[in-house]
Amino acid sequence: MKWKSFPGGVLLDPAKDRTEGKPIRKINPPTKVVLPLVQHTGTPLEPLVKKGDTVRKGQKIADAEAFITAPVHASVSGTVQGIEEWWHPVLGRFRAIVVGNDFQDLGEYREPLPEDIERLEPQFLREWIREGGIVGLGGAAFPTHVKVSPPQGKEIDSLILNGAECEPYLTCDHRVMVERAEVVLRGARVLARACGAKRVYVGIEENKKDCIKLFVNLQKDFPLPLQVVALRTKYPQGSEKQLIRAILNREVPPGGLPLDVGVVVDNVQTAWAVGRMSQEGVPLIERVITLSGDCLREPGNLEVPLGVILAELVEFCGGFEREPRKVVMGGPMMGIAQVSLEVPVIKGTSGFLFFVEVVEKREYPCIRCGRCSEGCPMFLTPSYLAKLSEFKAFAEAEENRVMDCMECGTCSYLCPAGIQITQFIKLTKNEILLRRKKGGERK
């Protein structure tokens, strides 16, 4: 099978050998879970419970009326111990609902879907997905019901399942594909019906040959045209715009979205969560994550309830052989450094990495080699954008498409001068967004 790819990008050491062959393990039930009131891209939630309330596993405990939002459900049964500020892996600190586990495992689940999914109304499925709290589990955590709701005038013809998992070290999606392929494809049926897609593609990097073979064998039983596409092992192959380019040779326009070219992209683990809910009625209360790096005694892939504290996961993995100098949530390219092991797993957590060996670059002036531009998968000029950021030329940066940067980190990785280009660009994007909210110049 010939693999496909996109222009730009960078070849990295996959470093997946520590965990890719390890089956998913279910952790011991935690004593409590901490469920932040924002775990997705969109409007924060308001609690539907108060301190002292008894809740069941799967019960909706927080929601908001906004369209771009997704409710949160209790991941254990027990008692609400409080609604308080807690460590958040992305936001530093944020309000969270703390639920003490009564270890009774009492559940409150939704009705499973009937087998003839293709006869269900798309609008019903979108609302059903929303009520299940489903968001993108690849890391961005964008509400899935929004993705599968094309606006009037936009038609979706293709659904792409993202099985690339291009970030080094992470293997949770790989294991979900190997161990739960049929549930993933059931979720794909629901997602395709919800958005109106007539064809499904599964994009998998060619370093996961077992997954490619498995999904090819399942093609014949799928009710829609299904194509498995082998992708070159290259970062950031898992970005949705790069996937669309590699698989369909369609270019998402600057400032546009996949639906502008008739496509919806969903992570394979998102499809698994949807497929599981369609079979068992269980909303998004658990996910599979990877714990890896060069510190843990027993790195692996774990199925965990949302809200479990990282310190408990480290203990489950046998603790540290060596004390980490750096802890990252997500992959090493786009992940977020952590300052505490008291952070909970949230919906967008694909893994935690622990490193003793940390690369420290000394920064020199730009030598104008152009490597950042050659590697940029979005065809930007990153060093120029960084310079505009340095001089606070935000309007000019916006004219040069700084908002199209997906912050993949390729430019910083390639820069021989050690310039943190991506960080400059992030600052510029944040400043532009703040000014838009304030309606103009920020004082």
Side-chain angles (χ1 to χ4, degrees), residues 226-262:
L226 173 70
Q227 183 177 345
V228 181
V229 182
L231 303 164
R232 189 179 184 194
T233 303
K234 186 172 71 167
Y235 180 82
Q237 187 70 79
S239 164
E240 59 184 14
K241 292 180 182 177
Q242 278 58 49
L243 271 179
I244 294 169
R245 172 67 184 263
I247 293 174
L248 297 173
N249 197 27
R250 299 180 191 174
E251 193 86 40
V252 178
L257 296 169
L259 58 84
D260 291 322
V261 292

Side-chain angles (χ1 to χ4, degrees), residues 325-339:
R325 291 179 59 201
K326 190 167 189 176
V327 179
V328 176
M329 185 188 83
M333 295 296 284
M334 294 188 74
I336 300 171
Q338 302 296 305
V339 297

Side-chain angles (χ1 to χ4, degrees), residues 10 167 235 332-335 361 363 372 375-377 380-387 389-390 402 404-415 418-430:
V10 61
E167 279 265 17
Y235 180 82
M333 295 296 284
M334 294 188 74
K361 285 185 175 180
E363 187 173 321
C372 59
C376 180
L380 304 175
T381 49
S383 61
Y384 182 54
L385 293 174
K387 187 60 71 179
S389 174
E390 189 177 347
V402 71
D404 281 341
C405 171
M406 59 180 178
E407 304 172 15
C408 66
T410 297
C411 51
S412 295
Y413 178 83
L414 289 173
C415 180
I419 300 171
Q420 295 301 311
I421 299 173
T422 311
Q423 301 306 319
F424 278 113
I425 291 175
K426 278 186 175 183
L427 289 172
T428 299
K429 290 175 66 177
N430 288 339

Side-chain angles (χ1 to χ4, degrees), residues 286-335:
E286 296 170 331
R287 66 159 298 155
V288 179
I289 67 172
T290 301
L291 263 66
S292 190
D294 55 10
C295 301
L296 279 175
R297 284 194 173 86
E298 299 174 28
N301 295 295
L302 309 178
E303 182 171 358
V304 303
L306 298 177
V308 66
I309 301 299
L310 174 57
E312 290 191 45
L313 299 178
V314 171
E315 186 179 343
F316 182 80
C317 291
F320 295 123
E321 286 180 333
R322 298 181 292 172
E323 200 62 27
R325 291 179 59 201
K326 190 167 189 176
V327 179
V328 176
M329 185 188 83
M333 295 296 284
M334 294 188 74

